[in-house]
């Protein structure tokens, strides 16, 4: 299945407490359970006013459905075409 990066505009995201982040995570996981195996959350990166999430999903529409059901913004969704790291230069 394709891998996607989702940019979520969440003002003050970097100031969210551990309890708030836990609640968001629990909500996301509940929606994912209901959606079944066609979508999987890998990890997220929290910055000052944004959260960047990496998902595996069968379509961009599945990402949008997850965001809608969870009440999360999905301001930008990009399909990841290639992953590189320092070893790519070897």
């Amino acid at each position: 299945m394709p891998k996607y990066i989702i940019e979520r505009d969440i003002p003050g995201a970097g100031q969210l407490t551990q309890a708030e982040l836990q609640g968001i995570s629990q909500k996301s996981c509940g929606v994912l359970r209901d959606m079944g195996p066609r979508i999987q959350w890998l990890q997220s990166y929290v910055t000052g006013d944004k959260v960047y999430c990496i998902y595996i999903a069968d379509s961009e529409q599945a990402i949008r459905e997850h965001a809608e059901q969870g009440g999360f913004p999905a301001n930008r969704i990009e399909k990841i075409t290639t992953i590189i790291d320092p070893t790519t230069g070897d």
Side-chain angles (χ1 to χ4, degrees):
M1 277 197 290
K3 194 176 285 188
Y4 294 88
I5 186 165
I6 300 98
E7 181 180 71
R8 304 183 192 281
D9 293 333
I10 303 175
Q15 303 302 314
L16 292 169
T17 67
Q18 281 301 111
E20 290 169 321
L21 292 170
Q22 182 180 24
I24 292 167
S25 178
Q26 288 170 344
K27 175 67 174 175
S28 178
C29 289
V31 173
L32 291 169
R33 271 191 300 278
D34 291 344
M35 291 182 71
R38 64 190 190 109
I39 184 170
Q40 179 185 359
W41 174 28
L42 297 181
Q43 61 192 146
S44 295
Y45 302 90
V46 180
T47 66
D49 291 317
K50 294 183 186 280
V51 176
Y52 298 90
C53 303
I54 309 297
Y55 278 71
I56 297 171
D58 64 3
S59 67
E60 183 177 323
Q61 181 55 36
I63 301 289
R64 293 195 184 284
E65 184 180 327
H66 171 265
E68 185 177 311
Q69 288 183 30
F72 314 119
N75 303 93
R76 186 171 179 176
I77 301 169
E78 294 288 337
K79 185 176 178 181
I80 297 171
T81 58
T82 304
I83 297 173
I84 63 171
D85 63 29
T87 64
T88 304
D90 292 344

